[in-house]
Amino acid sequence: MDAIIEFFNTGYNLWYVVGAAVALIAVIIIVAVAVKSAKKKKQAKESENLPEPAKVPTASDDDLLEIDVDNMELTPEDEVSDAAKSNFMMRLPVKYNSSDIDSVVVRPRKKAPRPEPEEKPVVEPEPAEKESSFTDHIYSPEAAKRPGTVQIYIDNGGKYRFRFKTSNGETVGHSQGYTTKSACKSGINAVVKAVSEAKIIDSTKVDYAPAIGRPVFVVYRDRENKFRFRLTASNTSNILASQGYTSKANCINGTKSVSNVALFHNISDDTVKAQK
């Protein structure tokens, strides 16, 4: 022990020990770096020797191929050319197991063409709304002074309907079909009540705004580009419609004739005659 202490206390002996320790550490680091570098080189060399992965051929949707396993042509592997083998090999399915054949070349075939889309049937346009037998109704203040007629009749489909006619016999409005006469009469009462407070709305204008919660006369254009009006109740149900007009002014005046007939009219029940 005393010898060791004397060694470190003597001159430069301590510096020699420190220098040796540093050199030893440097050697250890160099060896570790060299080993690590050697491992990397070995791994890189091994990766270079690996075979390249097989390239999978691609095709567009029109060239897609499908494989029919049941219709495959079976060929012994030793009779297959190298060019055919370059496509791909497939292990023989279990049901084709044989002592002579242990593999099969699959020759793909073109996919069946897609069926042409069916042509959609052409939808015929709906028939135009039924026209009256006369042209534009012209509002007449003189005819408005006399009572009009509300005619109840049975249409070709066996339903009850009613027409509003002026005192000079022109039809200015007609109803929808009703299954019972009582429902048809209720429709007449609904029209009489609605015209007393109905306003006119022109839906052919750009600034048209629909009215909700009140009866209105709505002026519009039909499929033949003629002007018509319909009377809608406060619940937006259509309770009366007009024939077509070539003039918007005459169409709007037609609503006045409907109002006059609703306020001053006689009932003509043609269903009684039809049933006799």
Side-chain angles (χ1 to χ4, degrees), residues 14-30:
L14 178 61
W15 294 108
Y16 292 149
V17 172
V18 173
V22 172
L24 179 60
I25 294 172
V27 170
I28 294 173
I29 293 175
I30 293 172

Side-chain angles (χ1 to χ4, degrees), residues 196-240:
S196 63
E197 52 181 319
K199 301 296 182 181
I200 300 173
I201 294 181
D202 187 355
S203 66
T204 64
K205 291 185 177 179
V206 178
D207 58 350
Y208 159 70
I212 300 175
R214 61 174 301 172
V216 290
F217 284 106
V218 181
V219 177
Y220 66 99
R221 284 186 180 271
D222 62 14
R223 297 185 184 91
E224 295 181 346
N225 208 30
K226 290 187 176 182
F227 294 95
R228 293 177 182 264
F229 66 81
R230 57 176 173 263
L231 176 63
T232 62
S234 56
N235 62 357
T236 69
S237 298
N238 295 331
I239 53 179
L240 194 75

Side-chain angles (χ1 to χ4, degrees), residues 37-243:
S37 177
K39 287 184 178 180
K40 286 185 177 180
K41 290 181 180 180
K42 184 178 180 181
Q43 291 176 352
K45 188 175 181 180
E46 291 177 351
S47 63
E48 290 177 359
N49 296 329
L50 291 176
E52 294 184 359
K55 294 183 179 179
V56 179
T58 59
S60 64
D61 289 342
D62 295 334
D63 297 330
L64 288 178
L65 303 175
E66 65 178 5
I67 299 173
D68 187 353
V69 176
D70 290 331
N71 294 327
M72 290 190 304
E73 181 178 347
L74 305 181
T75 305
E77 185 175 358
D78 56 357
E79 297 181 10
V80 179
S81 64
D82 294 336
K85 288 181 180 179
S86 64
N87 291 331
F88 57 90
M89 299 295 293
M90 176 179 174
R91 298 306 302 172
L92 191 66
V94 176
K95 68 177 182 177
Y96 295 114
N97 277 346
S98 171
S99 58
D100 298 330
I101 303 175
D102 61 356
S103 64
V104 60
V105 174
V106 179
R107 291 185 173 85
R109 63 181 182 180
K110 285 284 186 179
K111 187 177 181 179
R114 297 176 181 175
E116 294 293 332
E118 296 182 1
E119 295 185 1
K120 294 183 178 180
V122 178
V123 179
E124 296 293 336
E126 296 182 6
E129 298 176 59
K130 188 176 180 181
E131 286 285 358
S132 300
S133 58
F134 52 85
T135 57
D136 284 12
H137 161 73
I138 306 300
Y139 176 76
S140 171
E142 292 299 324
K145 295 178 182 179
R146 301 184 295 273
T149 303
V150 177
Q151 178 188 18
I152 302 174
Y153 65 100
I154 299 176
D155 63 15
N156 294 333
K159 290 188 175 182
Y160 294 88
R161 295 178 182 267
F162 60 84
R163 299 187 185 99
F164 271 45
K165 290 186 174 184
T166 60
S167 60
N168 55 10
E170 293 186 355
T171 300
V172 290
H174 56 271
S175 74
Q176 61 179 351
Y178 296 89
T179 56
T180 63
K181 184 187 290 188
S182 60
C184 184
K185 290 182 177 180
S186 297
I188 296 173
N189 295 333
V191 172
V192 172
K193 181 180 179 181
V195 296
S196 63
E197 52 181 319
K199 301 296 182 181
I200 300 173
I201 294 181
D202 187 355
S203 66
T204 64
K205 291 185 177 179
V206 178
D207 58 350
Y208 159 70
I212 300 175
R214 61 174 301 172
V216 290
F217 284 106
V218 181
V219 177
Y220 66 99
R221 284 186 180 271
D222 62 14
R223 297 185 184 91
E224 295 181 346
N225 208 30
K226 290 187 176 182
F227 294 95
R228 293 177 182 264
F229 66 81
R230 57 176 173 263
L231 176 63
T232 62
S234 56
N235 62 357
T236 69
S237 298
N238 295 331
I239 53 179
L240 194 75
S242 74
Q243 79 276 6

